[in-house]
Amino acid sequence: MFDLPPLQATARDDAVLNVLADFVMQEDLKPGDRLPTERVLSERLKVSRTTVREALTRWEGLGLVERRQGSGTYLKAAVSRDMLHLPLTFASGNDFGSLMHTLEIRRGLEAEAAALCALRAGPAELELIRQKLETMEEAFHARAGMSSDEDWDFHQAIYRVSGNPLFEQIISAMHELFHRFWEHPLGVRDFGHASFPYHRTIYERIAARDAEGARSEALKLIATVEADLRRGDANLKRAGNR
């Protein structure tokens, strides 16, 4: 039986979330594991199922759980009482303005993550990044520049090795937006090809423990992406004036 104490009437949805967070940690639940049913939680916490449902809806809105019809509520991310969970809302269009907004965020994150990675990566972490790089390069050549998943894995490795878990979490929250850069945005068929060599130079600067060099190479990579965006926007404008 779940060890969940009864709750006081004040701020019960917050209390439910705190107790649930404690339960998740005590039971060592991982993303993908199923939470107790609303009925069980309601009975054990001595609150209404509506209170439980509203609390879980807050977690769902933060992307922490997934509610599957007829199956239950499943954990999507690690939680604890001490964690602060922030919802992120982004424009999801494929227009030039929305893509530029995303790129501006990506520029700051990638440059700083690369610099921190150069300072913090150990031998095992450098080997991980090298493997991701070589896998991406092989995919790029084998599929005529189509290496979106492998490219994403390379950048994810850098975020992970940066030593700051917020980088990886923010980027994961923006996964769908970032992948728009590998879907030929604005009709540019070779979008992102110019960025290809900078993946290796970023790795080389990281391996050399050159934080400013890694930052500089990351900014060069993002500059090529911005140039592709501007090229696509200009082409669309010219086509619209015909």
Side-chain angles (χ1 to χ4, degrees):
M1 182 176 291
F2 302 122
D3 185 18
L4 302 178
L7 301 177
Q8 300 301 315
T10 58
R12 285 193 172 183
D13 57 342
D14 288 332
V16 170
L17 293 180
N18 285 335
V19 173
L20 278 177
D22 292 342
F23 169 81
V24 167
M25 295 188 66
Q26 290 170 5
E27 296 296 314
D28 195 28
L29 295 180
K30 306 297 184 186
D33 291 342
R34 186 160 64 93
L35 295 177
T37 65
E38 290 180 2
R39 181 184 61 79
V40 169
L41 292 173
S42 173
E43 292 174 354
R44 295 296 298 157
L45 298 174
K46 308 301 183 188
V47 298
S48 69
R49 292 182 67 173
T50 298
T51 298
V52 172
R53 189 174 300 115
E54 289 174 352
L56 291 175
T57 296
R58 289 177 58 186
W59 265 10
E60 186 178 31
L62 292 169
L64 302 179
V65 297
E66 177 185 5
R67 297 158 99 172
R68 303 175 189 172
Q69 186 67 33
S71 179
T73 302
Y74 291 80
L75 196 65
K76 290 181 63 179
V79 296
S80 77
R81 184 187 286 255
D82 298 327
M83 285 184 176
L84 176 64
H85 301 285
L86 301 176
L88 300 176
T89 303
F90 304 97
S92 60
N94 283 324
D95 59 283
F96 175 76
S98 295
L99 289 167
M100 278 299 299
H101 288 162
T102 304
L103 188 65
E104 288 165 0
I105 297 299
R106 183 181 168 189
R107 176 184 285 114
L109 292 173
E110 292 209 6
E112 186 63 20
L116 290 174
C117 195
L119 296 174
R120 298 172 177 173
E125 288 80 13
L126 288 174
E127 176 61 17
L128 170 67
I129 298 172
R130 185 190 66 78
Q131 290 175 0
K132 298 296 185 183
L133 171 66
E134 292 183 352
T135 298
M136 187 213 75
E137 290 176 336
E138 291 173 3
F140 184 91
H141 292 302
R143 301 200 295 265
M146 298 299 295
S147 58
S148 60
D149 290 339
E150 294 81 6
D151 196 325
W152 175 258
D153 288 345
F154 170 78
H155 290 289
Q156 280 285 87
I158 290 177
Y159 290 125
R160 191 172 302 120
V161 174
S162 73
N164 186 333
L166 289 177
F167 279 117
E168 192 173 5
Q169 292 178 39
I170 292 172
I171 294 302
S172 293
M174 298 179 69
H175 178 274
E176 181 180 349
L177 288 178
F178 275 33
H179 265 261
R180 296 179 189 273
F181 291 109
W182 289 284
E183 297 171 354
H184 307 299
L186 307 180
V188 179
R189 301 307 301 174
D190 62 345
F191 193 97
H193 287 200
S195 72
F196 175 73
Y198 294 106
H199 294 78
R200 177 159 288 277
T201 58
I202 290 172
Y203 164 72
E204 290 173 346
R205 291 300 87 210
I206 290 173
R209 311 293 186 189
D210 179 2
E212 288 309 310
R215 187 196 309 275
S216 177
E217 295 305 307
L219 290 173
K220 290 176 184 176
L221 185 154
I222 296 299
T224 68
V225 177
E226 179 175 351
D228 282 345
L229 282 179
R230 295 191 180 281
R231 175 161 57 98
D233 185 51
N235 290 341
L236 290 176
K237 287 179 178 177
R238 282 195 295 270
N241 290 331
R242 290 176 182 172

